[in-house]
Amino acid sequence: MAEKKSYVFEENNVPFQICHATNCLALDNNDLLVTWFAGSREGNNDIAIWISRFSKGEWEKSVVIADDKEEPNWNPVLHQLKGGRLLLFYKVGRDIHSWRTMIRISDDRGKTWTEPRELVPGDKGGRGPVRTKVLTLSDYSLLAGSSSEQGVWTTFTDRSIDEGKSWVRSESIALDDISYHGEKTVSHTDIEVSEQSFYGRGIIQPTLWESKSGNVHMLMRSSEGRIYRADSADFGKTWSSAYATSLPNNNSGIDVVQLTNGSLVLCYNPVAENWGKRSPLRLAISKDNGNTWKDIYTLEEGEGEYSYPSITRKDQTIYLSYTWNRKRVAVWQFEEKELEE
């Protein structure tokens, strides 16, 4: 990727009207995979999971890798295990509060996939990663950030010690000082999301990092105008209460990645309004484990929706993808030293 910024596909060269919720992953062979959901409108039955590969200097043709056909598909997340096996997690269901999490597996770096199966058989509500990447912790367990959107939104984590075959759920993390009685939380917005998203308050879609062995932290999207945080000292088995940070949040997705020297880079919309504008989209850096932050780069600004970033690192290269006006998938590449200067 010679340019810092590229687009996975041209807007007029795909058979869908909208795309959203990207997730990117740099593979062990240096290919870059980006996946997202797309169709006619968020929440419609034709919403499927798409993927594209950046290899040998160009983006390959985007293809569908999961399509339930009878219900919408949501929020794909890719993860590569140490031996090379790829895991694809995604949600299926019309109602967000009763999502089922599906998993497909690839042993050829995403060229072919197994048939889907439920990640946790019988679950209704969505286990495993809800939107952001899965962490491989220092004890080799997998930790996924998840959440529930029913009434008061809550966050939790799922932990696996057998490479994703089984999962143990943490207790839910909730905000103690909010109430919700079924009313809409926004009266007008230009954001094209499923109508059900405008109901509920709380914290969802955590993004995770491990500062030292066993000490894991999360930042969470919220309806309260701020990014919230919680901390764990036991590999994500138990968590502190959630507390507000100084970072603004517009009730839209965020993502964080840890650099090789321990600094954190956050991608977010710095807008302190529930269902506020999803512009600008910026990078911020923290050199004290997320206690303080400094904006360092503006990826997008002006009118439009630039949202739901996915940010990951391979060696000292940072990759990030996001929704560009619901019409395209934008991808950036940085070297760590560019973000530390």
Short mmCIF file of all heavy atoms in Angstrom, two decimals, residues 23 125 148 221 247 277 281:
data_model
loop_
_atom_site.label_atom_id
_atom_site.label_comp_id
_atom_site.label_asym_id
_atom_site.label_seq_id
_atom_site.Cartn_x
_atom_site.Cartn_y
_atom_site.Cartn_z
N ASN A 23 -13.72 -4.40 9.65
CA ASN A 23 -12.72 -4.99 10.54
C ASN A 23 -11.53 -5.38 9.70
O ASN A 23 -11.69 -5.99 8.64
CB ASN A 23 -13.31 -6.20 11.26
CG ASN A 23 -12.33 -6.83 12.24
OD1 ASN A 23 -11.64 -7.80 11.90
ND2 ASN A 23 -12.26 -6.29 13.44
N GLY A 125 -28.33 -13.11 22.10
CA GLY A 125 -27.82 -11.85 22.64
C GLY A 125 -26.42 -11.54 22.15
O GLY A 125 -26.01 -10.38 22.16
N SER A 148 -24.39 -5.99 25.35
CA SER A 148 -25.80 -6.32 25.18
C SER A 148 -26.59 -5.04 25.03
O SER A 148 -26.40 -4.08 25.80
CB SER A 148 -26.31 -7.11 26.39
OG SER A 148 -27.72 -7.31 26.31
N ARG A 221 -17.73 2.71 24.00
CA ARG A 221 -18.70 3.65 23.43
C ARG A 221 -19.84 3.84 24.43
O ARG A 221 -20.22 2.91 25.14
CB ARG A 221 -19.23 3.06 22.13
CG ARG A 221 -20.53 3.62 21.61
CD ARG A 221 -20.98 2.85 20.38
NE ARG A 221 -22.31 3.28 19.95
CZ ARG A 221 -22.91 2.84 18.86
NH1 ARG A 221 -22.33 1.93 18.09
NH2 ARG A 221 -24.11 3.30 18.52
N LEU A 247 -12.39 11.74 27.33
CA LEU A 247 -12.55 11.67 25.88
C LEU A 247 -14.02 11.79 25.49
O LEU A 247 -14.87 11.07 26.01
CB LEU A 247 -12.01 10.34 25.36
CG LEU A 247 -10.50 10.14 25.45
CD1 LEU A 247 -10.15 8.66 25.35
CD2 LEU A 247 -9.78 10.95 24.35
N LYS A 277 -22.74 13.98 15.29
CA LYS A 277 -22.13 13.78 13.99
C LYS A 277 -20.96 12.81 14.07
O LYS A 277 -20.24 12.77 15.07
CB LYS A 277 -21.64 15.12 13.42
CG LYS A 277 -22.76 16.07 13.03
CD LYS A 277 -22.19 17.35 12.40
CE LYS A 277 -23.32 18.27 11.95
NZ LYS A 277 -22.78 19.52 11.32
N LEU A 281 -13.00 12.36 12.12
CA LEU A 281 -12.45 11.10 12.60
C LEU A 281 -10.96 11.32 12.85
O LEU A 281 -10.24 11.75 11.95
CB LEU A 281 -12.66 9.99 11.58
CG LEU A 281 -12.21 8.58 12.01
CD1 LEU A 281 -13.08 8.07 13.16
CD2 LEU A 281 -12.26 7.61 10.83
#
